[in-house]
Amino acid sequence: MKFVARLMLLLGLLFPLAALAEPGFAALKVQNDADGGQTYSVSLQVLAFMTAISFLPAALIMMTSFTRITIVLAILRQALGTQSTPSNQILVGLSLMLTFFIMAPVFDQVYDEALHPYLNEEMAPQEAINRAAKPFREFMMAQTRDADLETFADIARAEPISGMDEIPFSLLLPAFVTSELKTAFQIGFLILIPFLVIDLVVASLLMSMGMMMLSPMIISMPFKIMLFVLIDGWTLIMGTLASSFFI
């Protein structure tokens, strides 16, 4: 919240005329609590919330399961050789829906423990932020490799950490994203293997028949699609991606 306070102070300096016209403008009121905390006026909270909305896409990608799902679906499309089918819009839509399904327990916990009490004015903004961060921290820690955490801790020359709650988001976030990328490419590798075998078999048959000018992709694509449909591939892919976060 110190960053938010400094941002609001900068906005006030950028608009001096408005501040002089109404010296008691509610959007710039910050009250000190008895316990040493700070309480912001409702209009200031709305302004801070609208500013934070611009960071939501990055938060959705970097702090949820969206990254892993999108990469795996993109590799699947590449393995099938269908180029732009499914389209990017469909892949992003599938990734979003599966992300909401996977992250539903985390979102519910954030709403029950942080957002709902804050909206009912039962909790201070700083406490609400701390409680909202805890479910995301637990989710990210469960998917982050210790080696990645140690790598970024060494780069940042961080102090020795004794517990999960002491790991700063500035350290946890890059470690989580790195782990997600590694896991996504591992899953993608396993998806590529059977389709690569089909490509090799088709290419070998075409060469043995002297049809070297014919692209193997044209012949192998129908067989790959048929194989994917026969094994109920979409159910397997979606189920594997979802279950990979609950192991």
Side-chain angles (χ1 to χ4, degrees), residues 74-171:
I75 293 177
L76 172 64
R77 184 174 65 181
Q78 185 85 10
L80 289 173
T82 53
Q83 302 299 325
S84 59
T85 304
S87 64
N88 291 333
Q89 292 85 349
I90 295 177
L91 289 185
V92 171
L94 288 173
S95 301
L96 283 174
M97 294 303 103
L98 195 56
T99 297
F100 290 146
F101 171 77
I102 294 171
M103 301 297 297
V106 177
F107 292 154
D108 291 341
Q109 187 176 356
V110 170
Y111 178 80
D112 294 336
E113 298 181 0
L115 182 59
H116 187 265
Y118 173 72
L119 294 177
N120 290 337
E121 299 182 357
E122 299 174 357
M123 186 180 299
Q126 184 64 45
E127 184 180 358
I129 291 176
N130 294 334
R131 290 197 180 186
K134 184 178 179 180
F136 282 99
R137 181 187 296 274
E138 293 176 351
F139 171 81
M140 295 167 66
M141 282 296 303
Q143 308 300 327
T144 304
R145 293 176 172 83
D146 294 337
D148 295 327
L149 277 174
E150 294 175 359
T151 298
F152 285 98
D154 293 338
I155 295 174
R157 297 180 180 178
E159 298 293 334
I161 299 172
S162 58
M164 182 187 70
D165 295 335
E166 297 182 4
I167 300 177
F169 263 97
S170 60
L171 176 61

Side-chain angles (χ1 to χ4, degrees), residues 5 24 29 40 50 62 65 104 126 135 141 143 148 154 161 196 200 205 207 210-211 215 222 244 246:
K29 285 186 177 179
Y40 303 94
M50 296 302 294
M62 297 292 104
S65 58
Q126 184 64 45
M141 282 296 303
Q143 308 300 327
D148 295 327
D154 293 338
I161 299 172
L196 179 61
L200 290 175
L205 290 176
M207 290 186 64
M211 303 174 65
S215 174
S244 66
F246 296 99

Side-chain angles (χ1 to χ4, degrees), residues 145 148 152 172-184:
R145 293 176 172 83
D148 295 327
F152 285 98
L172 177 59
L173 186 56
F176 170 74
V177 174
T178 304
S179 296
E180 286 295 283
L181 290 174
K182 183 176 181 180
T183 303

Side-chain angles (χ1 to χ4, degrees), residues 186-198:
Q186 286 177 341
I187 298 175
F189 171 78
L190 296 177
I191 292 174
L192 279 171
I193 292 301
F195 297 109
L196 179 61
V197 171
I198 295 177

Side-chain angles (χ1 to χ4, degrees), residues 1-20:
M1 295 307 293
K2 292 182 179 179
F3 171 78
V4 176
R6 293 172 182 172
L7 180 61
M8 296 305 105
L9 179 60
L10 178 60
L11 292 175
L13 293 176
L14 291 176
F15 300 96
L17 294 179
L20 291 175

